[in-house]
Amino acid sequence: MAKGKAKGKKITLKIAKNSIRIAPDGARRLDLSKMGITTFPNCILKLADVEELDLSRNMLKKIPNSIQKFEKLRWLDLHSNQLEDLPKAIGTLQNLFYLNISNNKLTTKNLPEELNLLKNLHILNLGLNCLDSIPTSLGALKELQEIGLFDNSLTTIPNSVKNLPKLKKLNADRNPFLDSIEQEEYADSIKRVETLYLVQEKDLCSSCLKVCQGEKDKLNKLHSETPSSSKNLSFPLLLTPNSTARDNQEEWRVKDTHP
């Protein structure tokens, strides 16, 4: 062994079998995290029928194409290793729901295009890597609900990713975005603009309209008398009927129209 080269723990089939856990949902998880592994243990290919595989917090530099043998895999955790690339065969894991490859040494160049084949992927974590851009092809992951892009070297996020139909959370903290507005918008999560529908006067019943008009008159009077203080005034009875994509505006009428 060359001087200074790390010698990782050897994982035997017996050790691997003893590392199988049952996840809360009943799935079989092969948990080899924090084992000091430096090379992918080929013996675990004999346990390729597990639904979850945890190889996180090791010293792995490479994942072989034989990962494709884990056909039932729904959950794959490879975070906190020393991975510089991923095998193209990762695209064959069609049942994959969760993929965490954060805190590695991945570059945009070494992200396989086959990632866009993971059609059932809901959660993808690419944070804490060396990415300077995000492939637009990730826009093919139509089931994606959460994506982590934090602590990279991104200057922008492609629209194909920002506009994914089911995306709920996008963490892009600590990236050198060229546009400060974009950095703020995508720092913690997707902030979708919701259309605000205001009820017009013609949609209000006469009693509601009378109450709102009375409060409006009070507001105008106070505004003319004390313009400097009107900014901080509160009018609990001045109810603006509004909703986000509600068709039935009756729900937003004043509930109690009598003192």
Side-chain angles (χ1 to χ4, degrees):
M1 182 180 70
K3 185 177 180 180
K5 184 177 180 180
K7 183 178 181 180
K9 180 177 180 178
K10 180 175 175 60
I11 301 297
T12 64
L13 183 58
K14 181 179 180 180
I15 292 175
K17 285 182 176 179
N18 289 335
S19 299
I20 291 180
R21 307 284 183 265
I22 303 300
D25 62 356
R28 296 169 69 241
R29 176 183 298 178
L30 178 52
D31 187 354
L32 296 175
S33 62
K34 299 181 288 185
M35 300 281 280
I37 304 171
T38 57
T39 57
F40 186 86
N42 288 321
C43 68
I44 69 174
L45 296 176
K46 295 182 179 180
L47 303 173
D49 60 339
V50 297
E51 292 88 7
E52 302 185 0
L53 177 59
D54 189 349
L55 289 167
S56 66
R57 290 170 284 187
N58 283 295
M59 295 178 283
L60 292 170
K61 293 185 177 181
K62 188 176 180 64
I63 300 296
N65 276 310
S66 56
I67 192 72
Q68 65 188 346
K69 294 186 179 296
F70 290 83
E71 296 178 358
K72 297 182 180 179
L73 211 60
R74 297 184 68 251
W75 193 92
L76 178 58
D77 195 343
L78 300 171
H79 87 265
S80 302
N81 278 284
Q82 298 178 25
L83 299 175
E84 296 181 357
D85 57 23
L86 293 172
K88 293 182 178 180
I90 200 167
T92 65
L93 303 177
Q94 291 297 296
N95 291 315
L96 210 59
F97 177 94
Y98 171 98
L99 176 60
N100 189 348
I101 44 180
S102 65
N103 196 21
N104 279 285
K105 299 180 179 180
L106 298 169
T107 62
T108 303
K109 181 181 178 181
N110 290 331
L111 280 182
E113 186 176 349
E114 285 74 10
L115 277 177
N116 65 15
L117 299 177
L118 301 176
K119 303 300 185 183
N120 290 310
L121 200 63
H122 283 56
I123 300 172
L124 173 61
N125 195 342
L126 293 166
L128 282 164
N129 276 290
C130 306
L131 307 177
D132 55 21
S133 64
I134 297 299
T136 57
S137 58
L138 291 186
L141 304 179
K142 303 301 184 184
E143 296 298 317
L144 203 62
Q145 296 181 12
E146 299 181 20
I147 183 169
L149 301 173
F150 53 90
D151 294 286
N152 278 289
S153 300
L154 304 175
T155 56
T156 188
I157 299 174
N159 288 330
S160 61
V161 173
K162 290 190 292 189
N163 297 329
L164 281 168
K166 296 186 178 180
L167 197 61
K168 297 178 181 178
K169 295 182 180 179
L170 190 157
N171 186 342
D173 267 354
R174 295 175 297 280
N175 278 283
F177 289 116
L178 297 177
D179 188 339
S180 60
I181 296 178
E182 183 173 20
Q183 184 174 16
E184 180 181 352
E185 183 177 0
Y186 296 101
D188 296 308
S189 63
I190 291 291
K191 295 180 176 61
R192 301 195 184 280
V193 177
E194 297 180 328
T195 304
L196 181 66
Y197 295 89
L198 294 179
V199 178
Q200 298 180 6
E201 290 185 0
K202 65 182 179 63
D203 296 319
L204 293 173
C205 62
S206 58
S207 58
C208 295
L209 182 59
K210 184 177 180 180
V211 171
C212 289
Q213 187 60 51
E215 294 299 330
K216 184 178 179 181
D217 292 339
K218 290 180 184 179
L219 176 61
N220 291 334
K221 183 178 180 181
L222 285 170
H223 181 71
S224 61
E225 293 176 352
T226 55
S228 60
S229 61
S230 62
K231 183 178 180 181
N232 298 320
L233 292 174
S234 174
F235 301 94
L237 293 180
L238 184 59
L239 181 64
T240 303
N242 65 77
S243 69
T244 53
R246 295 287 183 98
D247 292 328
N248 185 5
Q249 299 295 348
E250 291 287 336
E251 294 180 34
W252 299 97
R253 292 186 174 181
V254 180
K255 293 181 179 180
D256 187 3
T257 59
H258 302 287

